[in-house]
Amino acid sequence: MKHFNLSFSAAGFLGIYHLGAASALLKHGPKMVKRVKCFAGASAGSLVATVLLTAPDKIKESKEFLYAFSEDVRKQKVGAMTPTYDFMKNLRGGIESILPANAHEIAEHRLYVSITNAKSRKNCLVSHFASREELIKVLLASSYVPLYAGIKAIDYKGEKWFDGGFTDSLPLLPTGRTITVSPFSGRIDICPQDKTHWDLYVTFAKHSLLSKENARRNRNIKFHQWKAISSQC
């Protein structure tokens, strides 16, 4: 049986699309999911990739957390940037409540998380996790958007890191076929099918996308307009 990889793009609060895709794969293509050799992702995509690999039974719980997290952010005076609001602390709480104790062992060399080095601005795909805490740190690094999610980059192995979506928002693994998932329409295997699109693509952080619909979706990354997003899951 031929195996392949599965990669989830950076998505912000549009990660709800990824959770919908993951649910559909588990429900309608369980044999396909079993054939996935490696999982990859950036930002919110890395979180969903991790859950699908290490705790597929927690997809529903992940959706509930994301909805609650979004509403919590929405209630703040200036969203996640409210000075008294700790975005990363709340995200960590959600991750810790969902990942199993042996998540790092399951993820070892099967999960590839995209992160960006704060000093060199170069991308790194991390696939080795010495402990559950190290896995959580890498996931937080991949999800940390400077200023929006706080002013301190994530410490990992003595260096500072931030959102992998800035340098590789849709990781393609070097070995084997990689099936890609994105909440943005374009040259992606699993993505929204827009009624109209331009036959023109602009690449940002290795992710090709350009359309009126994608511009609207991009606004929803931080402002989480759930009604429009959920209809596509």
Side-chain angles (χ1 to χ4, degrees):
M1 184 180 293
K2 192 172 183 179
H3 292 80
F4 55 86
N5 309 308
L6 187 61
S7 180
F8 294 85
S9 74
F13 279 102
L14 289 178
I16 193 66
Y17 180 89
H18 286 328
L19 288 170
S23 294
L25 287 171
L26 289 170
K27 181 178 180 180
H28 302 291
K31 291 183 179 179
M32 176 182 173
V33 175
K34 289 181 179 179
R35 289 173 53 198
V36 178
K37 182 178 181 180
C38 295
F39 295 76
S43 194
S46 69
L47 300 177
V48 176
T50 304
V51 174
L52 185 56
L53 171 60
T54 68
D57 58 317
K58 295 291 186 71
I59 293 293
K60 182 178 179 181
E61 185 177 330
S62 298
K63 287 182 181 179
E64 293 171 351
F65 165 73
L66 189 52
Y67 278 118
F69 188 28
S70 169
E71 288 305 314
D72 192 32
V73 172
R74 188 196 297 272
K75 291 176 183 177
Q76 308 306 312
K77 289 184 178 180
V78 286
M81 298 179 72
T82 301
T84 57
Y85 187 73
D86 195 330
F87 182 94
M88 298 306 291
K89 179 181 179 181
N90 288 312
L91 178 58
R92 171 184 270 274
I95 295 173
E96 290 182 340
S97 70
I98 291 169
L99 296 189
N102 65 336
H104 61 292
E105 297 174 351
I106 300 172
E108 181 74 0
H109 299 311
R110 287 197 66 199
L111 175 68
Y112 290 77
V113 180
S114 174
I115 58 177
T116 303
N117 187 279
K119 185 176 181 179
S120 68
R121 297 297 194 271
K122 291 184 178 180
N123 183 266
C124 179
L125 280 180
V126 182
S127 62
H128 170 65
F129 312 99
S131 65
R132 182 174 183 269
E133 174 60 22
E134 186 168 290
L135 170 59
I136 291 174
K137 277 191 175 182
V138 172
L139 292 174
L140 289 173
S142 188
S143 303
Y144 170 70
V145 178
L147 298 182
Y148 176 81
I151 59 175
K152 294 183 179 180
I154 305 300
D155 284 309
Y156 168 62
K157 291 192 173 181
E159 296 186 76
K160 301 289 187 180
W161 303 83
F162 63 90
D163 197 329
F166 285 96
T167 48
D168 190 351
S169 63
L170 186 59
L172 297 179
L173 301 182
T175 304
R177 165 86 159 88
T178 298
I179 291 179
T180 53
V181 187
S182 174
F184 298 98
S185 61
R187 294 170 177 170
I188 312 295
D189 295 306
I190 301 174
C191 68
Q193 300 300 305
D194 295 332
K195 294 180 180 179
T196 60
H197 68 278
W198 301 338
D199 190 20
L200 173 65
Y201 296 89
V202 172
T203 298
F204 173 75
K206 301 182 181 181
H207 191 178
S208 297
L209 50 93
L210 177 62
S211 72
K212 179 180 179 181
E213 292 81 1
N214 281 343
R216 173 180 56 79
R217 294 183 183 108
N218 190 58
R219 292 196 300 271
N220 290 335
I221 284 180
K222 300 295 186 295
F223 297 103
H224 26 85
Q225 302 299 323
W226 292 112
K227 185 176 181 181
I229 300 167
S230 298
S231 66
Q232 298 177 27
C233 296

